[in-house]
DNA sequence: ACCACGATGTATCGGACCGATACATCGCAC
DNA sequence: GTGCGATGTATCGGTCCGATACATCGTGGT
């Protein structure tokens, strides 16, 4: 739950940001699970987080000594910073391992921030997710077996494709779990298509503080 | 948009149903794209469709001549039937081919009801969907190329997995488009895993009226 | 000199859908 | 006889999306 909340808190730990930039980072981080984050989600969430005290507003344009008569009030960019309570909140959310972290979206965000957790948590989430997908897979298998004659060819094809996606994801999760148990990084040695270059197998440095001043 | 609306209208064209059963059929039909339809979505939607005049309520327990004094009112199952306007509405929705039909959910439902459309519409939707996924794929490729050093290993792995899923779906769509153009059914001759048995390659009978009285 | 256009930037509104929850009935197994 | 799982209807709060609106800035074309 609360995909955005977790993601925003996570990103603001690296650097303060304003909404527009946050959206771009969000889209970069979650591009695999969510096409693009809508402002209709982002801004209300920001306000919610601010009201809860997890983040704080820090208006830009560093205190103009010049008195501008506020023609249309010259809307400055609003930069958000994470608070100490926000960091606690993030730690609390990222450490969750219940069924609420196994859904498609929730799993995606948690996975994207796996470098901020410990190995035990990662393992629990990966195994829970696998369980969830295995159940979905069984459901589809049953459907394709028992109720096949009641469904038309297109529906059947859709199920078949969904089933294949499940099988693939289970295999993926299995590899990740094996890697995790052996203490290695998430990288699979060779995969065929999709992104060849990468040989640094070092476990992800837990902190890495990069920033990007515009 | 309005995944449930389309799906409900489509299912009620086959047979009248009450909520509970509708949910099961919905889950069977859309199992590949949605785990299970929530009642918190279903019942409000039913009421909305009823208010719009697309469906009509037809209370069960055929007119008890016996006068029961309404102990807790004996809630009977509420059976819904599609109206003539509802059929028109369904025809209108299923014939849409705009960008609003290319999103994950919308595409799923439209595909599940492909046997209710003509080939031209099917082709347009499949090609639009392909376009959409290709764009998503390019976005992920860029991410893995340009911004790779800014992201940690887990995020990268997530993108890689997402990219692979995109590539796979594009290939799937390509096969479907080719099949569609040659006038065949959606079935791909052989696939390896996931549901072997099927050799009837007949194009889907456009009407097939099955029903299932409880 | 002008202006169209795209990127940057903040914001709201209505609607779709979900998860949790509540409650009532029925049949069957223990 | 009693608990338990399937059947069945329903609401509430909350998350998130898509469309829309509006303002600024720099760039390149005419």
């Amino acid at each position: 739950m609360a995909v955005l909340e977790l993601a925003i808190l996570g990103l603001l730990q690296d650097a303060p940001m304003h909404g527009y930039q946050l959206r771009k980072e969000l889209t970069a981080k979650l591009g695999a699970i969510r096409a693009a984050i809508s402002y209709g989600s982002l801004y209300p969430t920001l306000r919610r987080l601010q009201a809860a005290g997890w983040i704080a507003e820090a208006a830009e344009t560093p205190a103009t000594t010049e008195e501008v008569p506020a023609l249309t009030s010259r809307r400055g960019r609003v930069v958000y910073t994470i608070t100490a309570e926000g960091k606690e909140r993030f730690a609390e959310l990222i450490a969750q391992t219940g069924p609420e972290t196994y859904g498609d979206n929730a799993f995606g965000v948690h996975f994207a921030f796996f470098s901020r957790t410990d190995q035990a948590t990662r393992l629990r989430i990966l195994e829970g997710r696998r369980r969830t997908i295995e159940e979905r897979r069984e459901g589809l298998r049953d459907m394709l077996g028992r109720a096949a004659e009641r469904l038309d060819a297109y529906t059947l094809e859709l199920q078949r494709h969904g089933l294949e996606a499940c099988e693939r994801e289970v295999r993926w999760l299995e590899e990740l779990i094996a890697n995790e148990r052996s203490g290695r990084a998430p990288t699979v040695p060779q995969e065929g298509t999709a992104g060849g270059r990468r040989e640094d197998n070092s476990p992800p440095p837990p902190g890495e503080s990069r920033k990007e001043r515009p």
Side-chain angles (χ1 to χ4, degrees), chain A residues 48-152:
Chain A
R48 185 165 57 85
L49 297 186
Q50 194 179 358
W54 316 130
I55 66 178
E57 195 171 309
E60 245 196 354
T61 59
T64 44
T65 52
E66 191 89 22
E67 188 61 35
V68 181
L71 267 178
T72 67
S73 83
R74 181 61 184 96
R75 261 221 149 284
R77 304 190 298 184
V78 183
V79 177
Y80 295 95
T81 321
I82 193 166
T83 65
E85 294 89 345
K87 289 183 187 176
E88 278 176 42
R89 174 65 174 166
F90 177 79
E92 180 189 323
L93 286 175
I94 204 63
Q96 280 187 328
T97 56
E100 69 275 12
T101 63
Y102 304 150
D104 288 6
N105 289 337
F107 171 74
V109 211
H110 277 265
F111 189 88
F113 285 99
F114 255 16
S115 61
R116 312 286 234 283
T117 337
D118 56 306
Q119 197 198 31
T121 303
R122 290 198 287 256
L123 229 24
R124 258 191 306 248
I125 290 181
L126 287 172
E127 281 162 355
R129 173 65 175 179
R130 183 182 53 179
R131 200 75 252 290
T132 303
I133 300 298
E134 279 171 349
E135 274 160 24
R136 184 185 301 176
R137 184 188 62 186
E138 294 317 310
L140 287 172
R141 272 214 244 270
D142 286 3
M143 216 87 79
L144 282 166
R146 279 206 273 280
E149 65 285 346
R150 299 183 47 242
L151 300 161
D152 63 293

Side-chain angles (χ1 to χ4, degrees), chain A residues 153-195:
Chain A
Y154 287 106
T155 305
L156 246 23
E157 179 59 25
L158 186 59
Q159 311 276 31
R160 212 197 46 66
H161 183 245
L163 175 54
E164 205 190 307
C166 284
E167 289 169 343
R168 191 163 306 279
E169 179 162 354
V170 168
R171 258 176 275 139
W172 181 63
L173 290 167
E174 225 112 61
E175 283 177 3
L176 289 169
I177 289 171
N179 272 352
E180 207 62 63
R181 278 205 232 273
S182 69
R184 285 201 312 275
T187 309
V188 192
Q190 203 45 269
E191 188 66 26
T193 44

